[in-house]
């Protein structure tokens, strides 16, 4: 039995056992999916536990969204929690708790900002002369990646600002964002850290607003290996403002060429559903960066969007030729799991290259710790190609595991459910 075939034992006991393990790992939606349609008391209990977990996850995330300033995102998640069975009273409690916590954090951040308006020098330099164990010294190291002209401006924001940035670095984006936002109007350069915090919380609109304030205040910057123009364009494209993102990138390209800007332009063209232009852009880029795996995947997606599935597969084969087949077996780049999954999907959907598919599935299994939705989709394609009686159940489970707006639902309908309907 192959790696992926083992994932789909279809007897109720196996499904319940898998669901129980998924619940233990907090993967509630996957657990719900596993026991969907399974009869019996054990399956019913597991379904109830999965729904309870989904309710709490969405309630918690809604609270985080509201506290980060994304009220609409929070309301969407509260509605989703109620779809999973959460009560209206639970949703109202989240609103009240989030507002109270947000008010408290803002008050604390304002108090700290007023109390620590500047760093207290301990020598000739207010940061580099700090003791080695002072956490603000770590902030000084971060500042080294900034353009020199901007470092002094950020230092003048004081110790409270440095502490807020360190909260972000320590994986606490929610309190970091609450503390950082008040600084942006005072110093546009602070928009970078505020935007990073918002992105970690999934608050794309807030991130876009902070990057815009930064651009309007000090222009786009290169911070370490990051181009702020690239990040802003990517965020704008993700929130449906692709034309604005393209204009931003084109404006920056007039000032000077950069591979990162060209790559962002290709991604924005893809988001704007202009695959032919995206293909031309990324093809030129690959000549300059022939081992960039992300460029090959973008090229494959652009070709697939134009129904050039053979060309898409060829792009992925070239990409994977630069990688190792399994961990530790060569000095090249690690096997690109995303490219391997996409290539296996194309071949399976087209019922092509079965030997290559087997090889790809083995490589994916060697380079991952567990299966995600696309791995289950690959398994369902195998079932379709083998005319398995389990295909209808698999297809319904795959579709039910996706958000209604997820474009992958189109894969399920056209490649699986259509064949189920056709008999």
């Amino acid at each position: 039995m192959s790696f992926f075939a083992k994932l789909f034992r279809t007897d109720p006991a196996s499904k319940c056992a898998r669901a129980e393990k998924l619940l233990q790992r907090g993967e509630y939606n996957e657990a719900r999916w596993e026991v969907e349609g399974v009869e019996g008391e054990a399956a019913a209990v597991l379904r109830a536990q999965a729904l309870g977990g989904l309710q709490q996850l969405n309630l918690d995330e809604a609270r985080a969204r509201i506290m980060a300033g994304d009220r609409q995102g929070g309301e969407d998640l509260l509605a989703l929690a109620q779809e999973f069975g959460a009560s209206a009273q639970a949703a109202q409690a989240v609103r009240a708790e989030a507002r109270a916590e947000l008010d408290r954090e803002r008050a604390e951040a304002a108090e700290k900002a007023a109390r620590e308006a500047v760093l207290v020098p301990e020598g000739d330099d207010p940061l580099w002369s700090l003791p080695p164990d002072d956490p603000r010294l770590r902030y000084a190291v971060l500042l080294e990646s900034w353009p020199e002209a901007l470092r002094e401006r950020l230092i003048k924001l004081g110790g409270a600002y440095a502490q807020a940035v360190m909260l972000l670095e320590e994986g606490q984006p929610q309190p970091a964002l609450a503390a950082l936002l008040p600084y942006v109007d005072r110093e546009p350069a602070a928009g970078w850290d505020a935007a990073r915090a918002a992105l970690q919380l999934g608050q794309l609109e807030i991130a876009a607003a902070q990057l815009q304030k930064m651009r309007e205040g000090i222009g786009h910057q290169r911070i370490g290996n990051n181009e702020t123009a690239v990040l802003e364009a990517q965020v704008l494209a993700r929130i449906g403002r692709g034309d604005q993102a393209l204009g931003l990138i084109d404006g920056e390209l007039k000032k000077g060429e950069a591979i990162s800007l060209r790559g962002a332009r290709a991604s924005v063209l893809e988001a704007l559903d202009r695959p032919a232009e995206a293909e031309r852009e990324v093809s030129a880029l690959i000549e300059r960066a022939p081992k960039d795996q992300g460029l090959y995947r973008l090229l494959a997606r652009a070709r697939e969007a134009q129904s050039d599935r053979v060309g898409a597969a060829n792009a992925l084969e070239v990409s994977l030729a630069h990688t190792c087949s399994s961990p530790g077996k060569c000095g090249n780049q690690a096997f690109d799991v995303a490219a391997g999954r996409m290539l296996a999907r194309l071949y399976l959907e087209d019922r092509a290259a079965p030997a290559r598919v087997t090889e790809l599935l083995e490589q994916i299994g060697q380079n991952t710790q567990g299966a995600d939705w696309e791995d289950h989709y690959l398994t369902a394609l195998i079932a379709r190609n083998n005319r398995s009686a389990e295909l209808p159940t698999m297809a319904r489970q795959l579709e039910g595991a996706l958000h209604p707006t997820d474009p992958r639902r189109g894969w399920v309908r056209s490649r699986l459910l259509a064949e189920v309907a056709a008999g």
Side-chain angles (χ1 to χ4, degrees):
M1 187 178 294
S2 72
F3 172 79
F4 289 107
K6 291 178 182 177
L7 296 171
F8 265 89
R9 289 196 182 102
T10 56
D11 60 286
S14 294
K15 286 178 174 288
C16 288
R18 279 199 302 273
E20 190 168 355
K21 290 180 180 179
L22 289 165
L23 286 172
Q24 291 170 359
R25 298 201 300 265
E27 298 178 28
Y28 302 111
N29 200 44
E30 289 287 329
R32 177 175 69 106
W33 177 26
E34 282 292 344
V35 293
E36 186 69 27
V38 178
E39 298 180 355
E41 182 178 352
V45 170
L46 291 167
R47 271 195 298 275
Q49 292 175 350
L51 288 172
L54 287 168
Q55 292 171 31
Q56 195 59 51
L57 280 177
N58 283 282
L59 290 171
D60 291 343
E61 180 61 20
R63 183 184 295 107
R65 293 283 183 97
I66 295 170
M67 288 179 62
D70 181 11
R71 186 171 183 81
Q72 184 56 56
E75 289 297 330
D76 290 343
L77 285 165
L78 288 176
L80 189 56
Q82 289 181 274
E83 288 181 18
F84 288 128
S87 67
Q89 291 81 1
Q92 186 57 38
V94 165
R95 294 186 187 96
E97 291 169 12
R99 283 195 297 268
E101 183 68 14
L102 184 57
D103 290 343
R104 184 188 66 77
E105 288 191 357
R106 284 175 174 168
E108 288 182 355
E111 182 182 347
K112 284 184 179 180
R115 188 172 62 247
E116 303 180 38
V118 295
L119 289 173
V120 178
E122 298 189 24
D124 294 333
D125 188 293
L127 282 175
W128 289 111
S129 58
L130 292 170
D133 60 346
D134 194 305
R136 289 173 293 176
L137 191 58
R138 293 161 57 201
Y139 176 63
V141 173
L142 291 177
L143 285 181
E144 286 293 288
S145 64
W146 282 79
E148 187 172 355
L150 293 175
R151 293 176 199 165
E152 290 300 320
R153 294 172 62 161
L154 291 168
I155 289 172
K156 289 178 182 178
L157 293 178
Y161 183 81
Q163 290 164 3
V165 174
M166 294 317 300
L167 283 174
L168 178 60
E169 294 299 317
E170 292 165 0
Q172 302 181 61
Q174 188 168 302
L177 181 60
L180 289 167
L181 285 176
Y183 288 94
V184 182
D185 289 333
R186 173 179 160 191
E187 172 50 71
W192 174 250
D193 291 314
R196 290 197 301 128
L199 285 173
Q200 288 188 27
L201 292 167
Q203 310 304 313
L204 301 184
E205 293 283 357
I206 293 176
Q210 307 318 304
L211 291 167
Q212 179 181 345
K213 289 179 181 179
M214 183 177 185
R215 167 169 49 85
E216 292 173 347
I218 59 175
H220 278 302
Q221 304 291 328
R222 183 174 183 84
I223 303 171
N225 294 323
N226 300 295
E227 296 275 358
T228 62
V230 170
L231 182 62
E232 185 176 4
Q234 290 171 339
V235 174
L236 289 171
R238 289 174 64 186
I239 60 178
R241 293 156 62 184
D243 288 327
Q244 185 179 344
L246 188 61
L248 186 155
I249 289 293
D250 286 343
E252 291 298 310
L253 282 169
K254 290 177 181 177
K255 303 174 187 176
E257 281 284 331
I259 289 180
S260 58
L261 289 172
R262 283 290 173 189
R265 190 175 195 277
S267 295
V268 170
L269 287 168
E270 180 190 19
L272 286 170
D273 197 23
R274 293 159 63 174
E277 294 172 72
E279 180 181 2
R280 288 194 294 272
E281 191 80 61
V282 77
S283 294
L285 273 176
I286 285 175
E287 294 180 6
R288 299 163 63 181
K291 292 187 178 181
D292 188 319
Q293 303 300 310
L295 293 179
Y296 286 101
R297 292 196 301 273
L298 199 160
L299 177 60
R301 292 195 302 272
R303 288 177 174 174
E304 184 183 7
Q306 299 172 82
S307 300
D308 181 8
R309 298 174 66 83
V310 172
N314 288 341
L316 294 167
E317 289 286 16
V318 172
S319 170
L320 291 172
H322 294 300
T323 70
C324 305
S325 60
S326 59
K329 288 195 174 180
C330 64
N332 295 327
Q333 300 177 79
F335 179 80
D336 187 343
V337 172
R341 283 174 172 148
M342 185 178 182
L343 184 57
R345 174 178 64 80
L346 289 170
Y347 285 148
L348 283 167
E349 287 176 345
D350 295 344
R351 294 180 169 89
R356 179 60 171 141
V357 168
T358 299
E359 181 181 17
L360 288 167
L361 296 183
E362 290 175 354
Q363 290 171 347
I364 293 167
Q366 291 169 359
N367 287 275
T368 56
Q369 296 300 313
D372 70 1
W373 185 93
E374 290 194 26
D375 295 326
H376 291 300
Y377 176 68
L378 296 178
T379 306
L381 287 171
I382 294 171
R384 181 203 68 173
N385 295 349
N386 292 336
R387 300 185 178 278
S388 170
E390 296 296 324
L391 178 59
T393 299
M394 290 181 177
R396 286 192 294 271
Q397 290 175 340
L398 284 165
E399 186 177 35
L402 297 175
H403 188 276
T405 61
D406 194 314
R408 293 177 298 180
R409 290 171 74 94
W411 300 356
V412 178
R413 293 189 186 114
S414 63
R415 301 292 178 175
L416 301 178
L417 291 175
E419 296 214 12
V420 170

